[in-house]
């Protein structure tokens, strides 16, 4: 492909190779990191994103910011995807992973400029990554049991400290931890405990203030009863979850019924009514007094429910219904037909809850299912000044929920505030000197790159980064040299006062898993970009074919 | 974003505009101040109306903060979130929309000086939050009093102070009576919880013509409808009412049924069939001996004929919401199939059914003295005036509701704000560090309410405000002193009888401070981002 590539290839395009493409990629990566840099840490600030239509998003979440930006550069896109990956896998730490990856690239570029082959750098990075993960797991993390429930609250607090709900983190962290604990599921077969945070329904309602957000032990459904005559409050509810419409029976696919006898026309009409009526009778006969359906309910059926004193809710979201079915022990019924071809509805298909009530919140009404029988559920209702704020609150709460889940599932924590990064830096530098190959340089640079986190944290807080980071490293050096001073390994930054302190003591904690993943992801992404030495960008294909047949 | 080698590298799409840093913060503050300035003159009893013209040429005349801001289109993203908060305030409490904007604008502009002094926004935010918490605690514990919800006079004073700022203030007593009456009627006690659903059970019927004095509350339902057949009875006392939501005409089934007719006589058979079907429906209705039938759907001519013969008055095409209200008035149950009709579905609690002609149109009244649904009938010289009266009345209704649900009152006329400002300044002195200044700034921002009140009635702002400040400093018992919005003088709100519901004022504080907190956290605006979730493939660049 060398030489006169343009003429040999059928397509026209641009080709960039060698050092220039590498520095281009690095510049793009650094540019992306610069965008999110200022939102890192407890004193980081938010971004306001305005789209073409003029809709506003205010956020502090790295993944959200990057998702909204229209990044064109291919290397930039890798970083955007990296943030997304971190978001899906861990849910938090999206900003830091991007910053670390960009820093790794920047330093690698320097090495390559000094004529170190990229593969050597890559090998070095791999080695360093492996070492640091090992060291982190062995020396820098500690189990949750050591600090108990308070550590969960602290981890949640740390994750929301940089967000809009930061000032109210005491309030929200308790709420988040409680919500997560409520959705605990133990797998009966394997005994494995999981926390499906998706089961926590986060609803938004504007009005009141953030502090008046509520945790509901039960499930909140953003629907209203189908008709005013229905009771708004049912104690000891028996819930039927249906996944079909209670509407007049209708033939599909435009089948037309041909009748000979005019008298039969009326009979068909009646039958249409009666099919659905019989269904409802069966459901009510089974003892249901709360009927939730994902489809519609015809007005003509409402009276039957009203008379039976039952509550019927139409057009619930299917995802909601599934969760309700799980929580209350109901079976989500798709059809009443049974194996014998008859239509039946068994009482065993019903779910149970202590109370179902429709309650007014702000201008909206919600259906609350309290005290479901088979499993606890939780919902969070967020309150706040306006939609943009609520959206950001939702994202922040989601991040914290993820963090709490990670902590509960993995059971290990690390100290935050740059403590881990500084410790790894000191450790890796010592480790680098034991290597006699060229990789030594790369490992040393890797160590250097990790320092970008404490540096950014302190510069966001308008502190002297150099001074603080030097102090921090000194602490960690002592901790690693002297066994008696091992407690100093928890030293991290206190950004409000610009000091170094014991962050384990102060409750600045992060799940170990999140740190491990972010180091791994950042390394992988950096390596991916580093391996590139050629960029071929094809020109847009001329729309020739379209012209010919179109005209 | 220049590359190392001097050549530029495009990272973001070229349509993206990015502003960051100090510039953005100042820009946001300016935007908020501008919005606040727009409606500043609509605060207080000497408020002026705004006339807004939409692109279609329609006119809105109002001094309701939310209504004004809803109509104007703004471009600045921060200004948009300001407008949002007026809506939040309206939804949550229905009143205080102007104050919330004015206060939020002021809280924002107080932050500017600190930003210029290079105080980090997070510190300002923390201080603001603390101040908000303290203010709420103070307002709840110290500067409010509980009233007796059963004492109409006390509630009336509250409504009066709410309406004092509106156009309807000239017909104050009338409006107060309407609001109080309406809300008291629709209050339902459900297991110890008061349910007051204004949206569903208090309808406002606007009938242009007449004078504003003719406005009244009707205990029952008013429909803009006439009977279907001219000969039907138009006045029935103690009627038996049937509510339907089905057609009284022959209708095809849901499934596609087609009828193939082979013989000639079948045609007449089909027609007969249809007639019999309607006949049967009507017979089923007649069997329960109602006087009136309301249905949400149509009534065919034939059905009208049968009903007329049985002496039943029929009305068709009622709205679902009206039917629900009728169900509350008459005690009837809405039935959707005539064959299900039973004796206990018939409503008998209505006292009078009457159709009267107002202006050019017929109006149906179904009234009962024991009902829990009301209709407020508004009259006035023109549609625009009635619309404004309606908005005023909505506010009043919400105020009554808020008071009945949370019977705590705070003094109006800027007295609460002044008292809080004074208390916060005192408290601020004990705060250590830089945080003290933004904390006190909230106190200063609160003074904007009395200041604007003085301004709007043409008083001397500095003199009156200083005097008021002094009054509050003199003794803690002076917490009810505020500004008389008509004269601009200092008055004791106890004497003037201006009291606002606590929930409204608290919501104002909360929303204003929280919004400014959110806006102050921003240090970067990126515009021209893609729509979330939207595909941005090359598809749109296809030729032709």
């Amino acid at each position: 492909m060398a030489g006169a590539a343009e003429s040999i290839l059928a397509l026209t395009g641009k080709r960039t190779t060698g050092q220039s493409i590498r520095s281009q990629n690095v510049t793009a990566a650094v540019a992306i990191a610069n965008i999110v840099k200022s939102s890192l840490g407890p004193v980081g600030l938010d971004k306001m994103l305005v789209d073409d239509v003029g809709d506003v998003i205010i956020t502090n979440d790295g993944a959200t910011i990057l998702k909204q930006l229209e990044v064109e550069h291919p290397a930039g896109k890798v970083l955007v995807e990296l943030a997304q990956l971190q978001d899906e896998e861990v849910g938090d730490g999206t900003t830091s992973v991007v910053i670390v990856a960009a820093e790794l690239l920047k330093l690698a570029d320097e090495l390559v400029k000094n004529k170190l082959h990229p593969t050597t750098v890559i090998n070095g990075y791999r080695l360093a990554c492996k070492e640091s993960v090992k060291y982190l797991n062995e020396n820098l993390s500690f189990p949750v049991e050591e600090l108990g429930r308070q550590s969960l609250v602290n981890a949640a607090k740390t994750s929301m400290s940089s967000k809009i709900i930061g000032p109210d983190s005491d309030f929200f962290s308790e709420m988040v931890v409680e919500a997560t604990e409520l959705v605990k599921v133990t797998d009966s077969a394997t005994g494995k405990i999981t926390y499906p945070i998706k089961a926590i329904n986060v609803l938004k309602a504007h009005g009141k203030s953030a502090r008046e957000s509520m945790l509901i032990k039960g499930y909140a459904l953003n629907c209203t009863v189908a008709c005013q005559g229905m009771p708004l409050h049912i104690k000891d509810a028996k819930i039927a979850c249906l996944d079909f419409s209670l509407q007049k029976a209708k033939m599909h696919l435009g089948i037309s019924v041909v009748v000979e006898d005019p008298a039969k026309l009326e009979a068909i009409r009646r039958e249409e009514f009666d099919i659905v009526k019989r269904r409802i009778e069966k459901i009510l006969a089974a003892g249901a007094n709360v009927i939730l359906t994902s489809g519609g309910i015809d007005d003509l059926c409402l009276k039957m429910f009203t008379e039976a004193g039952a509550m019927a809710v139409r057009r619930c979201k299917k995802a909601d219904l599934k969760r309700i079915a799980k929580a209350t022990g109901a079976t989500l019924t798709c059809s009443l037909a049974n194996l014998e071809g008859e239509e039946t509805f068994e009482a065993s298909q019903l779910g149970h809850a202590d109370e179902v009530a429709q309650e007014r919140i702000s201008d909206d009404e919600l259906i609350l299912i309290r005290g479901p029988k088979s499993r606890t559920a939780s919902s969070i209702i967020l309150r706040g000044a306006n939609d943009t704020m609520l959206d950001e609150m939702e994202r922040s709460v989601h991040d914290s929920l993820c963090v709490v889940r990670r902590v509960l599932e993995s059971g290990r924590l690390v100290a935050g505030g740059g403590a881990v990064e500084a410790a790894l830096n000191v450790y890796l530098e010592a480790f680098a000197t034991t290597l006699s190959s060229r990789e030594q340089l790369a490992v040393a640079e890797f160590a250097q790159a990790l320092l970008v986190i404490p540096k950014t944290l302190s510069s966001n807080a308008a502190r002297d980064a150099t001074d603080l980071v030097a102090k921090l490293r000194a602490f960690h050096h002592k901790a690693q040299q002297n066994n008696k001073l091992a407690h100093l390994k928890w030293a991290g930054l206190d950004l409000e006062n610009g000091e170094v302190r014991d962050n384990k003591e102060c409750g600045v904690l992060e799940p170990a898993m999140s740190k491990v993943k972010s180091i791994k992801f950042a390394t992988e992404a950096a390596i991916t970009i580093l391996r590139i030495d050629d960029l071929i960008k094809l020109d847009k294909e001329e729309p020739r074919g379209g012209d010919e047949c179109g005209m | 974003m220049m590359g190392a080698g001097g050549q530029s590298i495009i990272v973001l799409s070229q349509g993206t505009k990015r502003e960051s840093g100090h510039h953005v913060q100042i820009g946001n503050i300016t935007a908020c101040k501008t919005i606040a300035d727009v409606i500043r003159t609509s605060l207080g009893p000497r408020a002026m109306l705004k006339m807004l013209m939409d692109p279609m040429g329609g006119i809105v005349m109002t001094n309701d903060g939310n209504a004004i801001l809803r109509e104007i289109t703004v471009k600045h993203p921060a200004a948009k979130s300001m407008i949002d908060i007026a809506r939040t305030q309206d939804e949550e409490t229905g009143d205080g929309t102007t104050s919330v904007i004015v206060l939020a604008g002021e809280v924002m502009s107080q932050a500017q000086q600190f930003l210029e002094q290079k105080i980090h926004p997070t510190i300002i935010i923390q201080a603001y939050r603390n101040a908000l918490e303290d203010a709420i605690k103070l307002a709840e514990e110290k500067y409010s009093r509980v009233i007796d919800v059963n004492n109409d006079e006390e509630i009336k004073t509250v409504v009066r102070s709410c309406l004092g700022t509106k156009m309807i203030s000239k017909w104050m007593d009338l409006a107060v009576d309407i609001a109080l009456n309406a809300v008291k009627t629709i209050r339902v006690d459900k297991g110890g919880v008061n349910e007051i659903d204004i949206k569903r059970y208090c309808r406002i019927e606007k009938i242009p013509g007449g004078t504003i004095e003719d406005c009244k509350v009707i205990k029952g339902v008013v429909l803009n409808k006439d009977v279907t057949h001219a000969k039907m009875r138009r006045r029935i006392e103690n009627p038996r009412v049937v509510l339907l939501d089905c057609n009284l005409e022959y209708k095809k089934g849901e499934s596609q049924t087609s009828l193939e007719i082979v013989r000639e006589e079948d045609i007449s058979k089909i027609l007969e069939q249809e007639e019999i079907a309607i006949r049967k429906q009507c017979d089923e209705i007649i069997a329960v001996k109602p006087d009136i039938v309301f249905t949400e759907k149509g009534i065919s001519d034939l059905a009208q004929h049968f009903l007329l013969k049985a002496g039943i008055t029929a009305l068709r095409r009622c709205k679902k919401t009206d039917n629900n209200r009728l169900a509350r008035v008459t005690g009837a149950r809405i039935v959707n199939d005539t064959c299900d009709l039973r004796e206990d579905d018939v409503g008998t609690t209505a006292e009078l059914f009457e159709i009267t002609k107002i202006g050019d149109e017929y109006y149906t009244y179904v009234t009962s003295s024991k009902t829990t649904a009301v209709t407020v009938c508004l009259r006035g010289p023109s549609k625009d005036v009635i619309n404004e009266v309606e908005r005023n009345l909505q506010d009043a209704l919400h105020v009554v509701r808020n008071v009945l649900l949370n019977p705590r009152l705070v003094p109006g006329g800027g007295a609460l704000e002044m008292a809080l400002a004074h208390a916060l300044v005192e408290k601020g002195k004990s705060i250590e560090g830089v945080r003290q200044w933004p904390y006190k700034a909230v106190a200063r921002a609160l003074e904007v309410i009395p200041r604007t009140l003085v301004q709007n009635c043409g008083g001397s702002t500095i003199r009156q405000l200083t005097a008021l400040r002094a009054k509050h400093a003199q003794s803690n018992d002076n917490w009810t002193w505020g500004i008389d919005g008509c004269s601009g003088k200092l008055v004791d709100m106890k004497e003037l009888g201006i009291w606002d519901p606590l929930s409204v004022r608290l919501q104002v504080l909360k929303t204003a401070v929280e919004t400014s907190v959110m806006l102050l956290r921003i240090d970067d605006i990126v515009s021209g981002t893609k729509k979330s979730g939207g595909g941005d493939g090359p598809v749109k660049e296809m030729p032709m």
Side-chain angles (χ1 to χ4, degrees), chain A residues 334-349:
Chain A
C334 300
S335 153
L336 291 182
N338 61 10
L339 287 175
E340 281 84 47
E342 306 273 313
E343 293 200 322
T344 47
F345 192 82
E346 306 280 333
S348 63
Q349 283 170 299

Side-chain angles (χ1 to χ4, degrees), chain B residues 14-15 17 40 121 155 158 197 224 228 237 259 294 346 354 359 401 403 417 427 430 499-500 505 526:
Chain B
Q14 264 147 340
K17 216 173 76 195
R40 192 182 291 267
I155 295 177
V158 183
D197 195 336
N224 187 0
T228 45
E237 275 175 41
L259 192 58
F294 289 94
V346 180
E354 197 179 19
R401 188 192 74 190
V403 172
E417 282 77 11
K427 230 176 158 165
S430 61
W499 295 89
D500 283 335
R505 302 320 298 186
V526 185

Side-chain angles (χ1 to χ4, degrees), chain A residues 1 73 100 120 173 310 344 439 480:
Chain A
M1 229 197 280
H73 198 279
V100 172
T120 319
S173 53
T344 47
E439 274 83 13
Q480 286 173 21

Side-chain angles (χ1 to χ4, degrees), chain B residues 151-219:
Chain B
N151 187 343
D152 284 359
E153 273 316 307
E154 291 213 56
I155 295 177
K156 275 185 186 169
T157 52
V158 183
V159 184
R160 226 171 256 144
S161 72
C162 157
L163 289 179
T165 62
K166 318 271 154 121
M167 193 183 86
I168 205 169
S169 59
K170 282 183 214 130
W171 298 273
M172 183 79 91
D173 289 330
L174 179 80
V176 170
D177 280 339
I178 289 178
L180 193 60
N181 246 328
V183 176
K184 282 209 144 176
T185 319
I186 60 170
R187 176 165 61 163
V188 194
D189 194 29
K190 270 191 183 160
V193 187
N194 272 329
E195 191 214 58
I196 301 173
D197 195 336
I198 293 178
K199 206 161 67 181
R200 286 213 183 86
Y201 296 116
C202 176
R203 196 185 139 68
I204 297 185
E205 187 73 49
K206 294 173 278 185
I207 311 172
T211 59
I212 291 179
E213 282 88 350
D214 296 337
C215 298
K216 55 178 181 283
V217 179
I218 291 147
K219 292 198 168 187

Side-chain angles (χ1 to χ4, degrees), chain A residues 289-548:
Chain A
N289 53 13
V290 176
I291 291 98
L292 309 172
T293 170
S294 57
I297 301 177
D298 254 355
D299 284 351
L300 59 104
C301 315
L302 292 178
K303 182 170 171 270
M304 297 186 70
F305 292 123
T306 322
E307 270 178 355
M311 197 162 159
V313 182
R314 58 165 84 121
R315 309 239 174 266
C316 305
K317 274 194 217 110
K318 197 163 173 188
D320 283 337
L321 274 189
K322 274 188 191 153
R323 289 183 211 150
I324 292 173
K326 260 190 205 154
T328 60
T331 322
L332 183 57
T333 321
C334 300
S335 153
L336 291 182
N338 61 10
L339 287 175
E340 281 84 47
E342 306 273 313
E343 293 200 322
T344 47
F345 192 82
E346 306 280 333
S348 63
Q349 283 170 299
L350 292 175
H352 298 268
D354 291 340
E355 184 189 339
V356 176
Q358 174 174 314
E359 275 170 28
R360 193 189 133 109
I361 282 164
S362 178
D363 240 10
D364 266 338
E365 267 148 355
L366 297 177
I367 293 191
L368 305 178
I369 300 171
R370 288 204 182 90
K373 279 281 137 54
S374 70
R375 189 188 286 177
T376 47
S378 60
S379 300
I380 293 176
I381 299 178
L382 296 176
R383 311 297 312 265
N386 56 26
D387 286 339
T388 28
M389 184 165 165
L390 285 170
D391 287 343
E392 172 62 1
M393 280 167 70
E394 189 192 4
R395 279 189 289 270
S396 317
V397 167
H398 177 258
D399 279 6
S400 306
L401 285 172
C402 288
V403 166
V404 174
R405 177 181 66 167
R406 290 292 168 215
V407 175
L408 282 168
E409 282 176 11
S410 69
R412 291 192 83 80
L413 288 164
V414 294
V420 171
E421 285 80 3
L424 286 179
N425 166 272
V426 174
Y427 171 74
L428 285 176
E429 275 187 356
F431 172 73
T433 45
T434 64
L435 295 171
S436 53
S437 59
R438 282 160 187 256
E439 274 83 13
Q440 185 195 58
L441 291 171
V443 173
E445 291 300 325
F446 189 95
Q448 199 59 37
L450 288 176
L451 277 189
V452 72
I453 297 282
K455 268 186 202 156
T456 316
L457 283 174
S458 42
S459 62
N460 275 352
R463 302 285 171 193
D464 188 344
T466 329
D467 188 36
L468 271 179
V469 173
K471 265 190 206 155
L472 192 59
R473 288 186 59 200
F475 270 101
H476 284 280
H477 183 73
K478 266 185 225 153
Q480 286 173 21
Q481 290 299 312
N482 191 341
N483 271 338
K484 274 183 210 145
L485 293 170
H487 64 275
L488 286 178
K489 68 181 172 187
W490 311 122
L493 297 173
D494 171 11
L495 296 163
E496 299 210 344
N497 303 318
E499 288 162 0
V500 177
R501 62 173 176 185
D502 185 344
N503 268 350
K504 187 183 169 191
E505 207 78 333
C506 299
V508 181
L509 303 169
E510 283 174 72
M513 195 184 166
S514 147
K515 268 275 142 28
V516 170
K517 286 243 157 111
S518 78
I519 292 175
K520 276 189 190 160
F521 288 156
T523 319
E524 291 294 327
I527 290 173
T528 317
I529 296 174
L530 214 53
R531 289 182 69 89
I532 300 168
D533 77 333
D534 206 331
L535 175 88
I536 303 173
K537 206 176 182 183
L538 295 181
D539 287 346
K540 272 216 185 75
E541 212 176 322
E542 290 294 313
R544 225 175 304 141
D547 271 3
E548 276 159 17

Side-chain angles (χ1 to χ4, degrees), chain A residues 46 48 50 52 54 68 70 72 162 168 208 210 212 228 257 270 272 299-300 307 360 383 385-386, chain B residues 11 13 80-81 88 92 129 254-256 336-337 342 401 507 510 514 521 523-524 526 528-529:
Chain A
D46 291 0
M48 187 180 234
V50 190
D52 329 335
Q68 292 300 319
E70 218 169 329
E72 284 207 330
S162 65
D168 294 325
K208 296 266 175 78
E212 271 142 297
Q228 284 307 299
V257 187
R270 274 260 82 100
E272 284 179 349
D299 284 351
L300 59 104
E307 270 178 355
R360 193 189 133 109
R383 311 297 312 265
N386 56 26
Chain B
V11 179
S13 128
K80 266 189 198 146
S81 34
T88 309
E92 185 69 28
R129 281 268 173 179
E254 282 297 311
S255 307
Q256 264 189 6
N336 39 59
D337 195 348
R342 280 201 307 270
R401 188 192 74 190
Q507 185 62 41
K510 286 177 200 165
E514 287 203 345
R521 283 180 59 95
D523 75 335
D524 208 331
V526 185
T529 56

